[in-house]
Amino acid sequence: MRKMDRIITYQIKAEDAGIRVEQFLRRKLYSRQNLAELKAGNDRTQINGKTCRLNQRLLTGDTLKIHVSENACSERIPATSLPLSILYEDKDILVVDKPAGLPMHPSKDNFYYSLANAVMFHYKDCGGFVFRCTNRLDRDTSGLTVIARHSVSASVLGSMVKSSSSNFVSSSRPYMEREYLAIVCGELSPAAGTVDAPISRREPPANGQPEQDPEKECPLSERSIERCVDFEHGEHAVTHYYVLETKNGYSLVSVLLETGRTHQIRVHMAYLGHPLAGDYLYNPECRRAATQRCIKLPTAQISGFQGTQKAVSIPCISVPADINGLSRQALHACRLKFPHPITGEIMEFTSPLPDDMQRFGFRFSQAHTCPE
C-alpha cells in the first residue's frame, strides 16, 4: 500500500509555452532524482489528463499534473510523543518552532529524544513518513525550522537553501531567508557588518595528545563536531549582523545567514571576539564550566517501545546559569521567509524571543530586525 501520494498541478502560462516538461520542472527546482523517479513510474506525468513523457512540449493553457508517490519510511526513527509547536502545515511542508535542548536527529547515544522522533509520532497514523529537515538547528538553538513532507518539496527547499549564497543580493532564483537573534558578550563594533570567514572542522590534537592549554580542552561529546575559522581549508561562510541593542555588557544582534555551515553564527561571533552568552563550545567561560548530565524520558512516550525499563537516559550538557538564568547558547531562529516549494506563494514565519533570552531585558520588537 502506498504510504504517501501527492498530486501537484501546474497551469502552463505563456512564458513557459514551447519548453519540454523536463525543462519546466527543472525551472521549478525539481532534482535529477525527482525527474528519474517520474521517468520510472507509470502515469506519473500527465498533460490535460493524458500520460505524457518528460520530453513533450507544453502549450499555453495546458494542465500539467505530477504524481508524487513514496513507499519509503524513516523506519529507524522511533515515534516519540513529545511537545511539537506547529506553526503551519499543508500537504507539502511542516513549519515547527523547536525548543532549545531538543536535537534535530537521533544519535548513537540518544535514539528517542529529537525533533525527528516527535515528527514521526505526529505522522504515525499516516502509514509512513520520511523525515527531511531543510534548515537544521543546533540542539540548544531554538526557533523555526521547515520539514518537507515529500521528495519534491525536499528538493525544492534544499535548492533554496543552497541558492541563498548566490542570490542574497540578487533575487534571480528563489532562496530561503533565515534570520536569527543572538545575545553576544560585549559591544560589537562596528554595530553592523559582514563576517566573511571560511569554516572547517577543528581537528583533534596530533597523536591523540590533550590540548596544551587545559582551559581550551572540552571533555564533552560535542567536541567531535567543533568548528573553527580556517582560511586555508575552510568552506565559504558569510554572516551578516546588525546590533539591535546593547545592555549590561551584552548585545542583542540580528543575524542573517548567507551560507549555512555547522555552528556558523557561533563560530563567527567568537571569531569577532564576542562569543554567544551560554555557549559551552565557543565561549571560554562557559566551556570551562560545562558538564555532562542526563535526563530521563519515560518509555510510555515511545511508540512500540520493546525494552523493560521504565525510562531511558538521554545525555545532554549542563551549563551553570549565569545571572540572567541562561544555561544554553543564546541563539534563536526568529524568522524564515521563502517561496512555497509548490505554489510559489511567499511564506514568512516569525517566532518571539524565548523566555530565557528575554531575561537579559532587551526591548526586542520583531519590526526592528536586520535591514534587508
Side-chain angles (χ1 to χ4, degrees):
M1 183 178 71
R2 287 173 176 168
K3 296 177 180 178
M4 196 290 302
D5 284 287
R6 171 76 167 101
I7 304 296
I8 302 172
T9 302
Y10 299 102
Q11 297 296 328
I12 305 305
K13 299 179 182 179
E15 57 262 32
D16 293 315
I19 66 172
R20 299 189 304 274
V21 172
E22 182 173 355
Q23 291 175 295
F24 175 82
L25 296 179
R26 284 192 176 277
R27 289 183 181 182
K28 296 295 184 181
L29 304 182
Y30 281 55
S31 68
R32 290 182 180 179
Q33 180 64 33
N34 295 149
L35 298 175
E37 290 172 355
L38 291 177
K39 290 178 181 178
N42 296 323
D43 300 328
R44 293 282 187 91
T45 311
Q46 295 183 351
I47 297 178
N48 302 327
K50 296 182 179 180
T51 301
C52 68
R53 295 181 179 273
L54 295 188
N55 61 0
Q56 185 168 331
R57 295 190 179 274
L58 296 163
L59 301 175
T60 302
D62 278 348
T63 298
L64 174 64
K65 289 189 176 182
I66 304 299
H67 183 192
V68 182
S69 179
E70 293 183 346
N71 293 311
C73 179
S74 298
E75 295 178 350
R76 295 188 177 183
I77 303 179
T80 306
S81 178
L82 299 170
L84 194 61
S85 177
I86 297 174
L87 274 64
Y88 178 84
E89 182 178 17
D90 62 20
K91 295 179 180 179
D92 305 301
I93 62 173
L94 176 72
V95 180
V96 174
D97 197 345
K98 185 187 84 69
L102 185 68
M104 298 296 290
H105 298 273
S107 61
K108 181 178 68 174
D109 298 323
N110 172 20
F111 197 51
Y112 302 106
Y113 185 75
S114 73
L115 181 65
N117 296 112
V119 172
M120 293 302 292
F121 188 87
H122 179 66
Y123 290 119
K124 66 183 178 65
D125 296 326
C126 295
F129 183 78
V130 178
F131 182 77
R132 303 179 178 99
C133 189
T134 301
N135 60 311
R136 298 181 182 181
L137 304 178
D138 298 337
R139 181 196 60 203
D140 289 326
T141 297
S142 55
L144 302 171
T145 187
V146 186
I147 296 144
R149 292 198 59 182
H150 53 76
S151 59
V152 171
S153 58
S155 297
V156 176
L157 288 169
S159 179
M160 289 181 191
V161 172
K162 292 179 181 178
S163 296
S164 295
S165 180
S166 59
N167 294 279
F168 194 82
V169 178
S170 168
S171 58
S172 59
R173 285 173 62 87
Y175 73 98
M176 183 177 292
E177 188 172 303
R178 296 160 289 169
E179 183 177 4
Y180 293 74
L181 290 171
I183 297 176
V184 305
C185 300
E187 182 175 350
L188 275 166
S189 181
T194 296
V195 185
D196 187 348
I199 293 175
S200 70
R201 183 187 296 269
R202 184 183 293 279
E203 295 299 328
N207 302 320
Q209 296 298 316
E211 297 272 10
Q212 293 183 353
D213 184 352
E215 291 189 349
K216 291 183 179 180
E217 189 171 352
C218 183
L220 309 175
S221 58
E222 272 70 8
R223 180 67 173 83
S224 62
I225 61 170
E226 188 176 357
R227 299 304 199 264
C228 64
V229 168
D230 184 344
F231 285 95
E232 184 176 356
H233 304 292
E235 294 182 291
H236 179 60
V238 180
T239 302
H240 305 271
Y241 72 88
Y242 177 78
V243 176
L244 300 172
E245 187 179 356
T246 298
K247 185 175 184 178
N248 299 328
Y250 295 98
S251 296
L252 177 65
V253 183
S254 172
V255 180
L256 284 176
L257 284 182
E258 185 169 327
T259 55
R261 306 303 175 197
T262 300
H263 297 176
Q264 179 172 316
I265 296 173
R266 300 164 65 184
V267 172
H268 276 173
M269 292 297 104
Y271 173 70
L272 293 180
H274 299 277
L276 269 62
D279 193 335
Y280 59 85
L281 270 183
Y282 304 104
N283 186 329
E285 295 300 321
C286 299
R287 186 184 183 100
R288 288 191 288 268
T291 57
Q292 296 266 196
R293 68 181 180 90
C294 291
I295 60 175
K296 297 294 184 180
L297 177 68
T299 56
Q301 293 181 236
I302 304 169
S303 179
F305 184 77
Q306 300 297 317
T308 58
Q309 65 266 45
K310 294 182 179 180
V312 293
S313 181
I314 307 297
C316 59
I317 293 171
S318 177
V319 180
D322 65 10
I323 58 172
N324 296 294
L326 186 78
S327 59
R328 53 103 177 187
Q329 72 255 15
L331 186 60
H332 180 66
C334 68
R335 184 170 66 91
L336 284 177
K337 184 178 180 181
F338 57 93
H340 189 282
I342 304 303
T343 68
E345 177 188 0
I346 299 300
M347 315 288 286
E348 185 168 13
F349 303 94
T350 59
S351 174
L353 202 65
D355 292 344
D356 58 354
M357 291 176 66
Q358 288 186 30
R359 294 173 187 149
F360 285 76
F362 292 111
R363 300 183 301 275
F364 168 69
S365 168
Q366 195 71 45
H368 296 156
T369 53
C370 192
E372 297 183 20

